[in-house]
Amino acid sequence: GSDSIGQTGPNVRWTFNGTEWAANGTAPSCSEPLGLQTPVDMSIVTGALWPGQQRGAYVAHGGFRFDDNVDNQAIVRAPLGSHLVQASQYLSGGTPQYLLFFSVPCGFFYRFDHVLEVPPAMAEALKDIPIGGEGESRTSFINPPLWVDQGDIVGTAVGIPPSNIFVDFGLYDVRQPNYVTPDPAWADLFARDKEFGHYGVCFFDYLPGTDGDTMRSLPTGIEGKTSDFCD
């Protein structure tokens, strides 16, 4: 549940200095496999957004759609123990949305976007974040960073009412760049997103059990199943 939010985890966090990511201390080793928990209930997921594709801008994240939901209620859980380190709240279609960034001590980073409601412990940590205008998702640092355990609820509703019900999820291995397709055109696409584009991974590969296979089999948006990260 949400009862462990704010308890202390390993006090190591990763930040990007404009060129590369670095930890503020000695990072523990990542377990192999990473041991991700699927952040949403796969039984209500109806569509998959693939990470590492051009959707307007180049985006390293993917996402989950819930088109059969009658409302925006969908529980989002922390896939790994991590610190909430940055966040923003901004308007999308006139509806306030949260963009949340988490640092995993061993050297991963993940983000959720289009979270509509958060549980009380998180709302308290986010209460001083200014609400940006339409599409203005500039982030603020959370001080102090908020620890969440794997499985803690970090969102209770997602998407843009009444019917655009989805949540974006991006997973990044910030220990080293992903080195996918280093051609000049790709580099230009990525120039604006050095922080995440160069470190994005195919999160389908990290989901437990058959969840990754399920994501690959689900319907997609108009962008289809193209991805620089996923085979």
Side-chain angles (χ1 to χ4, degrees), residues 8-14 23-28 83 103-105 144-147:
T8 52
N11 202 21
V12 177
R13 294 179 303 281
W14 292 74
N24 66 346
T26 304
H83 289 98
S103 171
V104 180
L146 182 74
W147 177 259

Side-chain angles (χ1 to χ4, degrees), residues 31-159:
S31 53
E32 301 282 347
L34 195 56
L36 210 73
Q37 177 174 328
T38 303
V40 296
D41 176 357
M42 285 299 297
S43 73
I44 61 170
V45 177
T46 59
L49 276 174
W50 286 53
Q53 60 180 210
Q54 206 168 352
R55 298 197 290 273
Y58 193 94
V59 286
H61 57 263
F64 304 90
R65 292 200 58 84
F66 309 94
D67 292 323
D68 292 342
N69 276 30
V70 295
D71 57 28
N72 289 74
Q73 305 303 304
I75 298 297
V76 181
R77 296 180 183 274
L80 293 160
S82 50
H83 289 98
L84 174 66
V85 288
Q86 293 180 57
S88 68
Q89 193 176 18
Y90 65 98
L91 299 179
S92 184
T95 300
Q97 306 276 283
Y98 287 106
L99 169 61
L100 307 170
F101 290 93
F102 298 83
S103 171
V104 180
C106 80
F108 275 76
F109 217 79
Y110 66 90
R111 60 175 258 178
F112 292 112
D113 196 3
H114 299 287
V115 173
L116 182 63
E117 294 169 6
V118 296
M122 295 214 24
E124 177 64 22
L126 297 169
K127 69 179 191 296
D128 295 329
I129 288 181
I131 296 190
E134 187 71 24
E136 289 177 7
S137 55
R138 183 173 304 144
T139 58
S140 303
F141 286 92
I142 306 297
N143 197 8
L146 182 74
W147 177 259
V148 295
D149 278 337
Q150 182 178 58
D152 280 348
I153 294 173
V154 297
T156 52
V158 302

